[in-house]
Amino acid sequence: MPVTVAQELQPVLSVFWREESLNVRGEAFSGRLYVPARVPEKAGLVLHLHGGHFNSGSPAEGQAVAAALTEAGAVVFSLAYPLAPARRFPETLELVYGALEALAKGRSRRVARGAPLYVAGEEAGGNLAAALAMMARDRGGPALAGQILLSPMLDACLATASLRGAQAGPVGCCWADGWADYLGTPERAAHPYAAPLQAARLAGLPPALLISAQDDPMRDEAAQYAARLGAAGVTVRHVEIAAPTHWPQAYADAPQKGSCLCQTCGEIAAFYGRTAPS
């Protein structure tokens, strides 16, 4: 059974967290371990990958999403993955996959031995989570109970109507800059792990929950990916939150009654319930 040491943790609503490090292939990566105030008996373990545009973001900035994933009924490790351009695809993704392997191997230190394992992320973190699900399928594990993708960046072409209509600001396009920093060279965008929306083979992936919003520039990518997953026989639910959610602030504010993250928390809890082993 999991052990919660409340006096060593910092409170966020009904969630506690502490700084932890994870050894990934001989290299230490920092992160935050989030634990619900009351840990469900069958709580799963979630690897959370914070938002940003591959070249920005941190576990601190992803705290609201990590807390929502936790409050929904899981133990969550939010990883400080390496940012571009210091590290790029595929090196970044391989390191994150190593983190998933390390979490799976040490699962019994954080949750029950047979607890389900999930990947989750928002924006660039959603891209990494989707890619991890593919890698786990292709490499024979770790076995995932599900993937939770919030406004994921899935298409390096930046060609959807929702993204074209977004106000990127007066100084360039943060999404284009992020993709360029992450990929380094354009041909890498052809790899399915880099841009999951363009992947030719989606069958055999774990169940997916995709969450976006009507005022979210990534909503078209989320909708298209959900449709393609469903067509490939993957169990999928796509939830589009009604506007206004004041995206991207919607993923930065703590869940409150009626807020975007409050609704998201309920959807995630239901997803845990549908995908947890009986």
Side-chain angles (χ1 to χ4, degrees):
M1 293 297 295
V3 176
T4 303
V5 186
Q7 61 268 31
E8 295 181 6
L9 302 169
Q10 305 300 316
V12 180
L13 297 178
S14 57
V15 169
F16 297 87
W17 66 268
R18 65 169 172 255
E19 297 286 347
E20 275 202 5
S21 63
L22 194 65
N23 188 287
V24 180
R25 301 174 182 175
E27 186 173 354
F29 285 90
S30 63
R32 291 182 172 190
L33 182 73
Y34 289 80
V35 181
R38 294 184 179 180
V39 182
E41 184 178 353
K42 297 183 178 180
L45 179 61
V46 181
L47 173 60
H48 168 245
L49 303 160
H50 63 75
H53 311 105
F54 298 110
N55 56 6
S56 61
S58 68
E61 293 174 69
Q63 175 174 289
V65 173
L69 290 163
T70 308
E71 194 161 9
V75 173
V76 174
F77 186 85
S78 185
L79 179 71
Y81 59 85
L83 299 179
R87 283 179 165 168
R88 292 184 157 122
F89 177 87
E91 182 186 8
T92 298
L93 185 57
E94 287 290 347
L95 287 169
V96 176
Y97 182 75
L100 178 64
E101 290 182 313
L103 274 181
K105 186 176 181 180
R107 179 177 345 200
S108 61
R109 295 199 298 270
R110 298 177 176 91
V111 290
R113 186 177 300 274
L117 184 64
Y118 298 86
V119 290
E122 66 274 21
E123 303 159 345
N127 172 291
L128 297 173
L132 285 180
M134 292 183 182
M135 294 174 75
R137 174 201 61 189
D138 296 343
R139 299 183 182 185
L144 296 176
Q147 51 182 319
I148 302 167
L149 314 178
L150 300 91
S151 306
M153 293 173 62
L154 300 171
D155 185 5
C157 294
L158 306 173
T160 62
S162 62
L163 192 53
R164 290 198 306 271
Q167 297 296 318
V171 187
C173 173
C174 56
W175 298 286
D177 292 344
W179 275 111
D181 282 344
Y182 179 57
L183 296 176
T185 56
E187 62 268 17
R188 287 178 176 166
H191 198 292
Y193 295 167
L197 185 59
Q198 304 304 324
R201 188 170 67 91
L202 297 176
L205 290 174
L209 172 64
L210 283 96
I211 295 174
S212 60
Q214 291 175 343
D215 52 359
D216 168 12
M218 302 299 136
R219 67 182 181 275
D220 287 351
E221 291 176 46
Q224 291 172 21
Y225 196 56
R228 292 204 58 222
L229 287 172
V234 177
T235 300
V236 60
R237 176 169 170 78
H238 175 213
V239 179
E240 188 173 277
I241 307 296
T245 65
H246 307 294
W247 191 97
Q249 192 62 29
Y251 290 153
D253 295 333
Q256 300 176 14
K257 186 176 181 180
S259 70
C260 172
L261 271 185
C262 182
Q263 297 177 63
T264 297
C265 187
E267 289 288 346
I268 294 169
F271 183 70
Y272 290 156
R274 291 192 302 270
T275 56
S278 56

